[in-house]
Amino acid sequence: AFESDIVRLQEMRAEAAANDPAVFARLVANGRALTLQRYSYLIDQFHLNAEQTETFLRLLDHKRQAPMDLAVANLQSGIDPRDDLARFQASVAAEKSGIEKKIGALLGKELYLEYQAYNRQLSHETICIRLNDLVGGSDQAFTPEQTARLEQLLKAHRTPSPEMITAAQTFLSPAQVGALQEIFDLREARKNQPPDSLPPTILDEK
């Protein structure tokens, strides 16, 4: 039920954005705030000038917004992305790949490697926070040792997967494994649903 509610909310927001420019503009503004929150530390470390910073933020915004932007463009043209999800997902992947190349060209090799490492670390930390949220307030909260071992698994697998969940069973409780499985199931569900206008999550990071 939780997953179906998320999917429906995603569909409603994408459709609203397609039909109302004000809704689309508000979602874009909210997205910029999220981008700043997520990447402000990295921008400070990179010491980019004002023009480079704005370009970097704009590219990050475009990457985050790519699924919604393409969905809105399709809907406005009378095309429902759900009619051919494989085609749509391929177009989103191509769009994000092109944006990544532009980010790489802007930052240069050394800073781009730092940017990639930062994204991976951010995703790992967010997964751990989400897992603690799912089991928090109980005797199932993750210990520092469990968190450290989970981060090692994430480095090896990048994102929750069946193989990672199997490996995690050696040091996590059944309830904790269940929380990890919930994140994996939601990620898989999102793969087979139309894109959304919600802020990016750990499930969407590439």
Side-chain angles (χ1 to χ4, degrees):
F2 171 71
E3 293 171 2
S4 62
D5 287 345
I6 286 181
V7 168
R8 181 55 190 151
L9 180 59
Q10 293 168 351
E11 293 172 356
M12 291 171 63
R13 290 190 175 183
E15 291 169 358
N19 296 322
D20 188 340
V23 172
F24 186 81
R26 184 169 65 253
L27 291 171
V28 170
N30 291 342
R32 170 54 68 93
L34 181 66
T35 299
L36 285 169
Q37 179 183 19
R38 178 171 292 186
Y39 289 98
S40 59
Y41 173 81
L42 194 64
I43 291 171
D44 289 341
Q45 297 301 305
F46 283 176
H47 301 294
L48 302 174
N49 63 39
E51 182 179 355
Q52 291 171 327
T53 297
E54 178 56 33
T55 299
F56 184 44
L57 287 171
R58 187 168 62 251
L59 288 170
L60 291 171
D61 285 340
H62 287 173
K63 181 184 175 184
R64 184 193 58 79
Q65 289 280 126
M68 187 184 74
D69 289 346
L70 291 172
V72 168
N74 274 262
L75 290 169
Q76 290 177 335
S77 299
I79 301 171
D80 191 329
R82 291 166 292 193
D83 293 340
D84 191 346
L85 280 176
R87 178 199 64 79
F88 184 84
Q89 289 166 350
S91 67
V92 170
E95 181 72 13
K96 288 188 174 183
S97 177
I99 294 170
E100 277 296 306
K101 290 179 181 178
K102 292 179 181 179
I103 292 174
L106 172 69
L107 297 179
K109 183 177 181 180
E110 183 177 343
L111 291 184
Y112 185 67
L113 288 174
E114 291 186 34
Y115 156 80
Q116 290 180 309
Y118 180 83
N119 275 337
R120 287 192 296 270
Q121 182 62 29
L122 189 66
S123 295
H124 297 168
E125 291 174 355
T126 309
I127 287 175
C128 291
I129 292 171
R130 174 60 177 152
L131 286 170
N132 271 307
D133 286 343
L134 289 173
V135 300
S138 70
D139 57 0
Q140 297 295 331
F142 288 79
T143 67
E145 180 182 357
Q146 287 176 319
T147 299
R149 294 184 67 178
L150 187 60
E151 288 176 350
Q152 289 299 317
L153 275 181
L154 286 167
K155 289 179 181 178
H157 295 273
R158 298 193 62 185
T159 190
S161 65
E163 296 78 14
M164 177 184 168
I165 292 170
T166 298
Q169 291 174 356
T170 62
F171 62 90
L172 297 183
S173 70
Q176 291 169 334
V177 172
L180 190 61
Q181 183 69 53
E182 181 176 335
I183 288 179
F184 173 73
D185 290 344
L186 181 55
R187 178 179 181 273
E188 292 301 298
R190 287 170 67 97
K191 281 184 178 179
N192 298 310
Q193 295 294 339
D196 59 84
S197 58
L198 293 173
T201 71
I202 55 176
L203 310 174
D204 304 314
E205 295 296 337
K206 300 294 184 182

